[in-house]
Amino acid sequence: MEKNGGNKSGTNRVSAKRRMQALGLVYILLLTGIAVPKAEGAEKGGVACAAESLDVAEKAKDQKAEDQKAEDQKTERKKAEGGETAEAPCIALTFDDGPSTAYTPVLLDGLKERGVHATFFLIGKNIEQGDNADIVKRMYEEGHLIGNHTYSHVEITKLDDESAYKEISRTNELIEGITGARVEFMRPPFGSWQKELEARVQVIPVMWTVDPLDWATENVDEIVNKVVTEVEENDMILLHDCYDSSVKAALRIIDLLQAEGYRFVTADELITG
């Protein structure tokens, strides 16, 4: 009895063990069956989200490029219509000691061809020579600024007040008699100016910032190189229209500096802003 009972008990233990193993296997399979699909689903979902994010980024990039292209086209249209232009640095080209019968008309032709307006400070006694009054008239009609450089090119600080006044007023009268416009600016010879004269003659003295000393050389290249290497925005360039080399240099200077983006204006535009 004891032996048979022991066998039955052992059989029961084996069966129970096998049932537990079977249940454990089922449990493991169930877990595996649930986890794997979830893992696969998560992986697929992550890839899908990454792909979607990349697609959105690409679309945003494309849209930004399209917007920039449209803006660039709009800007170009405005520039073409004159509604928006880059502000070019301004400089003034000024000429002393004219007019010259031989060289000033050549300079005027070159300025007109290039669409440039310059400033001319005239000597009174030169205006009275030959047909130079016609040159002065042409200067004015073509939009150049005309100023005073005294009647006889004298250093007015070495004159008494009355003589200095006459040097300026006499030249003003000559210019105004030709152009019909009041003279507002003058360049005192040698840069020497009497402050006390301003109220009496009512002119504004105009000096310079770039001086290639063109009167001291006939070397065109030297004049050109000195100006183009020194010039900066708002500079006032001093030349003379009574020398062939200076006129040739002036036209080359214009060509070179226009190519660099400079815009030539008259002296009053720099002074008054």
Side-chain angles (χ1 to χ4, degrees):
M1 292 294 293
E2 182 179 347
K3 184 178 180 178
N4 289 339
N7 288 337
K8 185 177 180 180
S9 176
T11 301
N12 289 339
R13 283 197 299 270
V14 171
S15 298
K17 183 177 180 180
R18 288 178 177 173
R19 283 196 300 271
M20 289 298 295
Q21 288 175 341
L23 287 172
L25 179 61
V26 170
Y27 181 70
I28 291 171
L29 290 172
L30 287 172
L31 287 176
T32 305
I34 294 170
V36 170
K38 283 186 178 179
E40 290 178 351
E43 183 180 354
K44 290 179 180 178
V47 172
C49 288
E52 184 178 355
S53 298
L54 183 60
D55 186 51
V56 170
E58 287 295 328
K59 287 181 178 179
K61 183 179 179 181
D62 291 343
Q63 184 61 48
K64 185 177 180 180
E66 287 296 323
D67 292 345
Q68 185 60 50
K69 183 178 179 181
E71 186 64 27
D72 290 343
Q73 290 174 342
K74 183 178 178 181
T75 300
E76 289 301 320
R77 285 196 300 271
K78 283 185 177 181
K79 287 183 178 180
E81 295 168 359
E84 182 178 324
T85 55
E87 189 65 31
C90 295
I91 52 178
L93 200 56
T94 68
F95 297 91
D96 289 5
D97 295 359
S100 163
T101 304
Y103 304 120
T104 305
V106 177
L107 175 59
L108 291 174
D109 289 341
L111 294 174
K112 185 176 182 180
E113 180 182 342
R114 292 161 175 77
V116 168
H117 290 146
T119 302
F120 292 87
F121 294 102
L122 308 181
I123 294 176
K125 66 179 182 180
N126 287 349
I127 297 173
E128 294 178 320
Q129 293 180 10
D131 296 326
N132 283 353
D134 292 334
I135 297 175
V136 178
K137 183 179 180 182
R138 178 185 172 185
M139 287 177 183
Y140 180 76
E141 291 176 345
E142 293 184 358
H144 302 290
L145 179 65
I146 301 175
N148 191 321
H149 199 45
T150 71
Y151 181 80
S152 53
H153 200 273
V154 292
E155 188 171 348
I156 57 176
T157 54
K158 293 183 177 180
L159 302 177
D160 60 76
D161 289 349
E162 189 60 29
S163 297
Y165 172 75
K166 287 181 178 179
E167 280 282 335
I168 297 170
S169 61
R170 187 174 179 183
T171 304
N172 279 355
E173 290 170 3
L174 287 169
I175 296 171
E176 291 169 2
I178 297 168
T179 66
R182 188 172 73 84
V183 177
E184 299 181 47
F185 301 92
M186 80 158 294
R187 172 163 288 156
F190 313 105
S192 299
W193 176 242
Q194 288 186 19
K195 184 73 176 176
E196 297 76 14
L197 284 173
E198 287 185 26
R200 187 175 181 187
V201 296
Q202 296 183 339
V203 292
I204 299 171
V206 179
M207 301 304 176
W208 57 88
T209 55
V210 177
D211 181 7
L213 301 176
D214 59 317
W215 54 270
T217 178
E218 294 183 0
N219 190 319
V220 175
D221 291 336
E222 183 179 324
I223 298 169
V224 172
N225 289 336
K226 186 171 179 61
V227 172
V228 299
T229 57
E230 291 186 7
V231 75
E232 295 179 353
E233 184 176 6
N234 296 324
D235 267 338
M236 197 89 68
I237 302 167
L238 169 61
L239 291 170
H240 298 79
D241 55 321
C242 52
Y243 303 104
D244 178 56
S245 54
S246 296
V247 170
K248 289 177 179 176
L251 299 180
R252 280 178 53 187
I253 288 167
I254 292 170
D255 293 338
L256 291 169
L257 294 182
Q258 280 185 331
E260 290 185 18
Y262 283 96
R263 184 167 70 93
F264 288 88
V265 298
T266 50
D268 57 328
E269 292 181 70
L270 287 188
I271 294 170
T272 61

